[in-house]
Amino acid sequence: MDTLKGESDSFPMLSAKNWWAVRQKVQTSIPNAITPSFIRSLLDLKDEASARSNVVSPMRKLGLIDGEGKPTELLKLWRNDDSYAQACAEMLKNTYPDELLALVSDDPVDKQAAERWFMGKDAGKAAAGKMAALLAILKQADPTPPKAITKQQSSAKQPTATQAKSAKQKVKEDPLPSATMPYSGETSPSVHIDLQLHFSPDLTPEQISTIFESMSKYLYKAQ
């Protein structure tokens, strides 16, 4: 840790959303190092400074990573459901003084009492609330994310209603190209007609000639 155990700024603040998002990631695979750039990309944070202060630094204070961001043995316990409670117990023991742990020994954790204790160590009200929230997660030691967090993670992977509407609108505006073959660039499409003519043997040559003249008049466009 950067400061002595018991000082207000030594207590980590890590939101439930980020806690479960990072754990879900390391359950899939453990990176060589959990750096600000890694966290920024994973959680879509605005910059590396935000990733460092909101996630990397708290994880280091909890003992999940070392000073270089490399995962510790504690992180390996934390990522597995079977050893999650053990990891939480170690983080509580290594991070918080006995006085505070005795104050919040009840189940569920008295968050208001925890907040007052942190504020008594010169933490601001907002910071004390975040510290108490993480303390409650560790005390609960349940490897199953709350339903609200699970719903948020699922929603993040699905297109929003606005995105879906936009996609449908784009399909209307940009329909698939027609399957018809293009014509050769003439001003009008060409027409090909096959005719089978059966003339009566009684017709005279003049009559047959008249028939062909009529066909030429009505079926062919003058060039």
Side-chain angles (χ1 to χ4, degrees):
M1 293 185 183
D2 297 332
T3 55
L4 296 175
K5 180 178 177 181
E7 296 179 4
S8 64
D9 57 357
S10 69
F11 299 112
M13 294 178 287
L14 182 58
S15 71
K17 178 182 177 181
N18 292 341
W19 170 273
W20 294 111
V22 175
R23 182 171 184 265
Q24 183 182 51
K25 178 60 179 177
V26 299
Q27 281 184 304
T28 303
S29 62
I30 300 179
N32 293 328
I34 296 179
T35 62
S37 59
F38 174 86
I39 292 297
R40 177 180 179 273
S41 300
L42 175 64
L43 303 178
D44 192 24
L45 299 177
K46 62 179 182 179
D47 51 39
E48 291 187 13
S50 176
R52 182 181 295 106
S53 61
N54 292 317
V55 181
V56 176
S57 180
M59 289 185 68
R60 179 163 52 82
K61 291 177 179 179
L62 290 168
L64 294 170
I65 57 177
D66 63 16
E68 297 178 349
K70 295 180 180 179
T72 63
E73 292 300 318
L74 183 59
L75 182 140
K76 296 177 183 178
L77 294 176
W78 178 62
R79 73 190 288 262
N80 295 320
D81 288 353
D82 292 342
S83 54
Y84 176 83
Q86 178 186 345
C88 288
E90 289 192 25
M91 282 184 268
L92 286 168
K93 180 180 178 181
N94 297 335
T95 307
Y96 304 97
D98 293 339
E99 177 183 86
L100 174 60
L101 297 180
L103 181 66
V104 296
S105 59
D106 295 337
D107 187 19
V109 171
D110 186 342
K111 291 184 181 180
Q112 291 184 344
E115 285 182 23
R116 288 192 294 269
W117 190 91
F118 286 122
M119 291 176 69
K121 299 298 180 179
D122 297 328
K125 183 173 179 58
K130 294 176 181 179
M131 293 174 183
L134 178 58
L135 178 63
I137 291 176
L138 292 169
K139 286 287 295 181
Q140 188 176 15
D142 185 349
T144 305
K147 291 183 179 180
I149 297 295
T150 303
K151 185 176 181 180
Q152 288 178 1
Q153 292 173 344
S154 299
S155 299
K157 298 177 182 178
Q158 299 295 329
T160 64
T162 301
Q163 291 172 331
K165 182 178 180 180
S166 177
K168 290 181 179 179
Q169 182 65 29
K170 184 172 180 58
V171 170
K172 291 181 180 180
E173 294 175 354
D174 302 319
L176 292 175
S178 172
T180 58
M181 295 295 292
Y183 55 85
S184 60
E186 297 176 354
T187 56
S188 61
S190 60
V191 178
H192 179 76
I193 301 175
D194 291 326
L195 295 177
Q196 290 185 344
L197 303 178
H198 300 276
F199 297 112
S200 171
D202 298 331
L203 291 176
T204 65
E206 290 77 15
Q207 290 175 318
I208 294 175
S209 177
T210 301
I211 292 173
F212 279 109
E213 289 177 358
S214 297
M215 291 173 58
S216 176
K217 178 180 178 181
Y218 292 106
L219 295 181
Y220 292 93
K221 182 179 180 181
Q223 300 297 321

